[in-house]
Structure formats: C-alpha cells, structure tokens
C-alpha cells in the first residue's frame, strides 16, 4: 500500500480575522476527507494557537522555537484585514515576523510556498490606534506585492471559496502517489520475476521455453502474453465504479449553470447576493454555452438554474464578459437574484401526514428512488402527487434524478459524483424540501449503486419553533 505523506501548512494572521482562520481549518478537514487520500497525503495546519507556554528572549521567540523551521512547511498562508497585530522585537507584528521567516526559507530551500490574502478595508476605523493599524496593513501589503501575487477578498465566506479553489488547484497539480516497494530486495525480486520477451535473448545454458509454443488455445486465452501485458478488466456494468472508491461531501470548484457544469477559477458572492464567477472553458462547446448566456437586451435577462456548493437558486444573468491571460480565455459571468423568483411555497398537511414527513418522503424519492409507501383511504395517487410537490413556484420531484446523469458520465465516475451532488442540491432547495443542506455525502459502490448520506434543515414555520432536520442514509440504484 502507498504510504501517506503528512504535509504541513502554516497559518499566520492577526486576531481580527478569526472567521478566516476557522475556515482554513474547515476547508483542510474537508480536503482530508475527500481529495487528499487519493493523493496519498494528509494536510496538517499549524498556527500560534497550537503552542504552549514557555520562556525565552520574548514571547514571539518562544513561539518561533515551537513552530520550528519554516522549511518544514509546504505552504505559508497569511491573512490580514485591518490590523497587522502586536509588535515584536524584530518586526511590526508576529504575523509579519513569521512571514519574513517564510520568505527567508523560501529563498534558501524553495519552501514553503507563500500565499497571502488581504480582506478589503471596509472596517469601522473610529480610533487613532485602528487607523494606525490599518495604515500599517497598507504599507505591509505594498511590501508583499513587490515580489508576490496576493489575493483580495470581500468577506470571510468569499475567502473560504477562494482558499478552497486555490488549494484544490494546488493539489490537482501534484501527481497521485503510487505504491513503492518497501525494500531494495523487493525490487530485486520483482526484476528477477520478469519473463523474457521475444526481444530478450536467453542467457547461456538456458533453453527457450517450449511451452509457449505448445500451449493450447484455451490456455493462451487464460494466460496473458509476455510481450503484451493485459489490463485487468472489471465486469460489464461495474467497470467505471471499480476505478474509484471515492466519496464526496463537497462539490469543490464545480458549478451548475443552466444545467451545464463547469469548473470555476473563483466564485465571489456579494452582500446583495450577486454572484460573480470566473470560468476558463475547457473546450469550444463550453465557451459557446457560457457566451450564449449573455442577455441580448438589458431588459430581457435570461433566468437560469444555478448551484454551487450547498447553494442553489434561479438566477438572472446580468453579464458575460471575457478576458485573456497569457492566451487563456476566462469568462466572467455575473448573476443576480430576482426576488420574485425566490418565493416560499405554502405547505400543507395531507390526510394526517405532516408537511415535514412529506418533505422527508420527497427527499427519499429524490435521493434514494424510494416510492412513498403510505396509502390511506384509497388516496394513494393524490398522496403521491403531494409528495412530488411542484406547487406555488416550487420544482416538482417526480423521479430519481441520478440514473440519466450516470448514463452520460459512468466512464467519468468522479465527475459524476460532483455533478450529481450539484443537481441534488438544486432540486432539494428548489423543491422547498429543505432550506439548508447540512450534509450531503455521495459515494460509488459496486454494481452501479451509489451510497447517500443526507442531513438537511427545513424552514421553520414560525420564529418560536425550532426547524426540523431531515436525515437518512441509504443506497440509490443508478441503472434506472
């Protein structure tokens, strides 16, 4: 089995970006549970919060000793907003001192990579001390940008998306880890067990194996030729699932636009819920699909289905712009939410079955292809239509959503998982089944079957009532 490499990431920041620090840890936990195992790695975050009391020249010097040398880290992540932090005896703040240590290690050892994020200055600076701190941030940012490419962001959730996408791109650039022989002896054994091919002459005293000439057709069919090693094939119908055992709990950088799927470079969500996506098309068809979203007239904006991570909505396309960076085309798609398209539907109880129970049955139909089994007073057909929903601007759920997508993507199982999750998020939210996706984990198992683990929060009917949480796990057949 391949060994797992632990890669250390150092996180440096002042106290005013606590949410961003939390998001760094959450994203890395998410990556460790999804992408990292396939890469044969485990990511570990180290920051000042992991230190313990000590004594030395000063507090920062004690912290530096516990942190260790910066060349031990793969990435240095720096985050700043309106403060640089507390001064040390060697720098304007502990964060800046840690940054300069990382720069020195990078110069000498080409490690760690240095990523610095700056939150846009919109803080309420009502004291002289706050103004001084903000001024130091501006000065330090100029210093960093002399030799580094930094990323600006608008708010903590925007940082989370940018950081996740950056980390995914970094991981995807790393080769998958493959098994290695544990000892040199194992390598020698492997080398000695290779059967000579026609291009290899037997050594002195050896005869060419005559069995290869007299082997029966049945035996030749069972045994692979020495000159043409064959690949082990999976049984028909389960071939694609055998290539992956991965399960996902995030759609990562994928986005659904108008029921087409794209990998994003970045996704920025503003306070007014406007979404800006940067997408680099991978083929002419993708570029055409994106350019076709451009409104023909300002008053005739297109309405499209949108899903990203755990968010979904009907959106209006505000604009589709393009730019080119070193010959690479990037399309910038801006989407706005139309309030009239986000109405809540009116839910009702039916024949003694609560609206929450009906929502649970709808989620099971959607994700597990379970048909409602409740039959009362010969009203089954009417009850089934209630479960399917589709009232008051909500999307109707009349069948399981996964088999059609599986038929298109069974040869790309990892793509299927990400896209299936986006489709599921869209239908769960647009059918008003749940208001928030708390957990949605999908995985492929043998025999064209997908495992599903779901937890979603319903919209609370009143301020004083706790929202109901729907949760279940099961298996969904993908063969239709």
């Amino acid at each position: 089995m391949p060994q797992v490499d632990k890669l250390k990431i150092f996180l440096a920041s002042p106290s005013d970006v606590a949410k961003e620090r939390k998001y760094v840890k959450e994203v890395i936990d998410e990556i460790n549970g999804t992408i990292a195992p396939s890469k044969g790695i485990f990511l570990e975050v180290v920051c000042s919060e992991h230190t313990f009391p000590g004594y030395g020249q000063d507090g920062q010097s004690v912290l530096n000793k516990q942190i260790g040398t910066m060349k031990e880290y793969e990435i240095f992540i720096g985050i700043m907003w309106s403060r640089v932090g507390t001064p040390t005896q060697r720098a304007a703040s502990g964060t800046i001192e840690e940054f300069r240590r990382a720069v020195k290690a990078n110069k000498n050892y080409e490690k760690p990579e240095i990523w610095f994020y700056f939150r846009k200055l919109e803080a309420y600076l009502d004291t002289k001390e706050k103004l001084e701190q903000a001024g130091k941030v501006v000065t330090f940012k100029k210093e960093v940008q002399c030799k580094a490419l930094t990323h600006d962001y608008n708010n903590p959730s925007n940082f989370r998306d940018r950081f996740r996408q950056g980390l995914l791109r970094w991981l995807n650039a790393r080769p998958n880890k493959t098994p290695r022989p544990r000892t040199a002896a194992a390598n020698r054994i492997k080398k000695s067990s290779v059967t000579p091919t026609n291009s290899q002459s037997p050594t002195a005293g050896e005869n060419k194996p005559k069995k290869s000439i007299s082997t029966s057709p049945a035996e030749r069919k069972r045994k692979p030729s020495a000159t043409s090693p064959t690949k082990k094939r999976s049984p028909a119908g389960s071939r694609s699932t055998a290539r992956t055992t991965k399960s996902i709990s995030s759609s990562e950088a994928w986005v659904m636009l108008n029921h087409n799927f794209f990998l994003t470079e970045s996704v920025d969500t503003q306070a007014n819920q406007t979404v800006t996506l940067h997408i680099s098309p991978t083929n002419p068809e993708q570029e055409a699909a994106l350019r076709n979203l451009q409104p023909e007239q300002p008053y005739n904006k297109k309405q499209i289905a949108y899903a990203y991570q755990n968010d979904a909505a009907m959106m209006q396309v505000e604009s589709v712009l393009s730019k080119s960076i070193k010959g690479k085309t990037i399309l910038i798609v801006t989407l706005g939410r139309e309030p009239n398209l986000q109405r809540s539907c009116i839910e009702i109880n039916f024949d003694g079955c609560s609206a929450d129970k009906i929502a649970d049955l709808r989620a099971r139909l959607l994700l597990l292809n379970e048909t409602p089994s409740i039959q009362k007073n010969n009203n089954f057909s009417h009850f089934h239509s209630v479960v399917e929903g589709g009232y008051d601007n909500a999307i109707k759920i009349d069948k399981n959503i996964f088999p059609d997508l599986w038929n298109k993507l069974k040869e790309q199982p990892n793509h299927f998982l990400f896209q299936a999750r986006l489709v599921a998020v869209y239908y769960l939210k647009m059918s008003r089944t749940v208001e928030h996706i708390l957990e949605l984990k999908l995985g492929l198992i043998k025999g064209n079957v997908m495992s599903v683990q779901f937890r979603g929060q319903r919209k609370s009917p009143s301020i004083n009532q706790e929202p109901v949480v729907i949760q279940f796990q099961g298996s969904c057949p993908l063969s239709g």
Side-chain angles (χ1 to χ4, degrees), residues 214-329:
S214 60
T215 302
S216 66
E219 288 177 323
R220 287 199 300 271
K221 187 175 182 180
R222 287 196 302 268
K223 297 180 180 181
S225 168
T227 58
S228 57
T230 60
K231 295 182 180 179
K232 185 177 180 180
R233 295 186 177 180
S234 304
S238 63
R239 178 178 55 184
S240 57
T241 58
R243 288 200 296 267
T244 180
T245 57
K246 180 181 176 183
S247 63
I248 65 162
S249 54
S250 164
S251 50
E252 297 182 359
W254 287 90
V255 66
M256 184 182 81
L257 298 177
N258 208 25
H259 298 289
N260 293 317
F261 301 90
F262 307 91
L263 277 170
T264 60
E265 300 283 338
S266 67
V267 179
D268 299 333
T269 303
Q270 308 298 327
N272 63 355
Q273 298 300 298
T274 298
V275 177
T276 303
L277 306 103
H278 290 69
I279 302 172
S280 180
T282 58
N283 54 55
E285 289 76 16
Q286 281 200 353
E287 182 172 351
L290 289 168
R291 291 188 182 277
N292 285 339
L293 298 178
Q294 174 67 44
E296 296 179 2
Q297 300 292 338
Y299 54 83
N300 188 23
K301 297 176 181 177
K302 294 183 179 180
Q303 298 172 1
I304 65 169
Y306 164 78
Y308 176 71
Q309 295 295 342
N310 290 332
D311 186 27
M314 285 298 295
M315 306 287 275
Q316 288 192 154
V317 181
E318 302 292 339
S319 64
V320 179
L321 306 175
S322 65
K323 66 178 180 180
S324 179
I325 302 177
K326 295 182 178 180
K328 178 181 178 181
T329 299

Side-chain angles (χ1 to χ4, degrees), residues 11 17-31 77-79 115 117-119 151-169 249-253 264-270 273 275 306 308-312 337 421 429 436-438:
L11 173 59
V17 287
K19 286 186 178 180
E20 287 89 331
R21 293 170 70 89
K22 176 184 175 184
Y23 283 143
V24 167
K25 296 168 188 176
E26 286 183 359
V27 167
I28 287 179
D29 285 344
E30 174 188 310
I31 297 297
I77 300 168
I79 311 170
W115 300 3
Y117 296 83
F118 289 92
R119 184 171 171 181
H151 275 195
D152 292 349
Y153 64 96
N154 299 317
N155 51 55
S157 61
N158 180 218
F159 163 79
R160 176 191 58 203
D161 293 341
R162 281 181 170 269
F163 174 64
R164 179 190 287 113
Q165 289 155 5
L167 191 59
L168 288 172
R169 285 194 291 269
S249 54
S250 164
S251 50
E252 297 182 359
T264 60
E265 300 283 338
S266 67
V267 179
D268 299 333
T269 303
Q270 308 298 327
Q273 298 300 298
V275 177
Y306 164 78
Y308 176 71
Q309 295 295 342
N310 290 332
D311 186 27
R337 297 191 188 231
R421 190 181 187 281
K429 299 195 76 172
H436 301 292
I437 309 291
L438 305 179

Side-chain angles (χ1 to χ4, degrees), residues 362-394:
R362 186 181 302 133
R364 290 173 180 272
L365 171 63
L366 178 70
L367 300 176
L368 302 178
N369 202 24
E370 289 186 3
T371 302
S373 58
I374 298 177
Q375 302 187 41
K376 289 187 177 183
N377 301 327
N378 299 318
N379 284 332
F380 177 68
S381 60
H382 191 187
F383 177 77
H384 198 282
S385 68
V386 172
V387 172
E388 292 178 348
Y391 306 111
D392 193 17
N393 203 41

Side-chain angles (χ1 to χ4, degrees), residues 1-6 37 39-41 177-182:
M1 294 179 64
Q3 301 174 357
V4 175
D5 291 336
K6 182 168 72 174
K39 296 287 185 179
I41 61 175
K177 189 178 175 64
T178 55
R180 299 189 300 268
R182 294 188 177 184

Side-chain angles (χ1 to χ4, degrees), residues 208-216 220:
K208 291 184 180 181
K210 297 181 180 180
K211 287 185 178 180
S212 62
I213 300 174
S214 60
T215 302
S216 66
R220 287 199 300 271

